[in-house]
Amino acid sequence: EAECCSGVCGCESEYGADYCYNYCCSCYFAAADVANTSYSDKSQSKEVITIKEEEEMEIVEIKEEDPTEALDTEQLEEYSAMLNDLGNFADKVQINTLSMVAEDYKSSTSSSFKIYKVVRTHLLKKNSSPARKLPLVYVVDSILKNAKGRFVTLMEADAKNWLPVVYGMLSSDGRAKLKRVWNTWREFGIFGLESWEEMGLCFRREEEQKAEELQSKSADGAGSVGGFRKRVSCYCDSFTCV
């Protein structure tokens, strides 16, 4: 079992030691590797990705030479079973194992696509419990921060499609945790600012809605106070007020 990074990642001070130990990328690799790695280097990924704009939001095409032996059907089914075994609990060892498998295929266009598609399918299952979504999000998070490779390009092009769907399935507490993970993607510089903001539009809309509700309540409160003062004034006009 990997040891924690002892705060190298910086998320411990922001989100607490428990988050750092259980979900952060630095618990997956040695601290030195995390400290010396740049997550913004996109030079390794040059594939062309096409997204089909339909309800299932399926990635339909990736074009590039594949230098690595492809993942076979049996291995893919085993990976899918491991994802299913996560259930409602974000087990650190299982998440690390899933990330390590993904890392083995990070340079393979076809295999990274297949792995990502399997994770995505589990995330968007409408007949599965909402409680199963966050552990899968932590798998995505770990793959992005540890395996990297072609997974970064795949997710940068597509997370804007599935992230708001998952957001809509979660409770308010789950949404807060999802937002926390999304924020770390910016902190680690995994995606460009524009892509990161686009995939997090659901959080911005939530903030705007809360601001509007707060403003509405403030306006209603001011109106009630004004009406009360008017009634008091009328009452005093009928009597001698001291």
Side-chain angles (χ1 to χ4, degrees):
E1 183 174 330
E3 295 182 357
C4 187
C5 63
S6 301
V8 170
C9 61
C11 74
E12 181 174 359
S13 59
E14 184 72 17
Y15 307 118
D18 181 66
Y19 177 86
C20 175
Y21 183 79
N22 286 301
Y23 309 123
C24 179
C25 68
S26 302
C27 303
Y28 179 83
F29 287 128
D33 178 62
V34 176
N36 296 322
T37 300
S38 172
Y39 297 100
S40 58
D41 182 11
K42 304 298 191 303
S43 61
Q44 59 184 334
S45 302
K46 300 178 182 178
E47 58 265 33
V48 177
I49 300 175
T50 304
I51 307 294
K52 184 167 63 178
E53 297 294 340
E54 295 182 3
E55 182 180 355
E56 67 272 16
M57 299 177 296
E58 181 182 1
I59 300 177
V60 295
E61 185 179 9
I62 300 181
K63 297 178 180 179
E64 192 178 84
E65 292 298 322
D66 196 343
T68 309
E69 184 178 350
L71 198 69
D72 63 38
T73 302
E74 184 178 349
Q75 290 171 314
L76 198 61
E77 290 175 351
E78 184 179 351
Y79 194 85
S80 180
M82 290 170 65
L83 288 169
N84 193 56
D85 288 343
L86 271 177
N88 301 349
F89 180 65
D91 181 82
K92 174 187 173 183
V93 175
Q94 287 180 289
I95 291 173
N96 283 350
T97 300
L98 287 159
S99 297
M100 290 176 184
V101 173
E103 186 196 7
D104 290 340
Y105 297 95
K106 68 180 183 180
S107 299
S108 169
T109 300
S110 61
S111 294
S112 59
F113 169 69
K114 290 175 182 178
I115 289 172
Y116 175 60
K117 187 175 180 181
V118 167
V119 177
R120 191 183 191 279
T121 299
H122 280 272
L123 269 170
L124 295 177
K125 278 184 179 178
K126 295 180 180 179
N127 59 348
S128 65
S129 168
R132 299 175 69 92
K133 304 304 178 183
L134 272 178
L136 293 167
V137 169
Y138 294 140
V139 171
V140 171
D141 183 57
S142 184
I143 290 174
L144 281 172
K145 292 173 180 173
N146 300 310
K148 302 183 285 291
R150 305 192 188 284
F151 292 105
V152 174
T153 305
L154 280 167
M155 296 185 194
E156 184 164 19
D158 185 50
K160 64 185 178 184
N161 294 317
W162 62 256
L163 197 146
V165 177
V166 173
Y167 169 90
M169 297 177 180
L170 298 175
S171 64
S172 57
D173 181 61
R175 290 175 179 179
K177 292 177 180 178
L178 178 63
K179 184 178 181 181
R180 184 182 303 167
V181 171
W182 170 71
N183 278 326
T184 66
W185 296 346
R186 179 56 186 163
E187 292 166 9
F188 280 87
I190 296 173
F191 304 121
L193 179 60
E194 186 177 347
S195 298
W196 177 79
E197 288 180 338
E198 186 175 13
M199 64 182 68
L201 283 176
C202 52
F203 303 118
R204 178 177 294 180
R205 294 191 186 103
E206 180 184 35
E207 291 172 357
E208 291 174 350
Q209 183 178 358
K210 287 181 179 179
E212 289 175 1
E213 290 174 355
L214 183 61
Q215 186 176 7
S216 177
K217 288 180 180 178
S218 298
D220 291 343
S224 298
V225 172
F228 174 73
R229 288 174 179 169
K230 184 176 181 180
R231 289 194 296 273
V232 170
S233 176
C234 292
Y235 181 81
C236 289
D237 288 342
S238 303
F239 299 89
T240 302
C241 296
V242 179

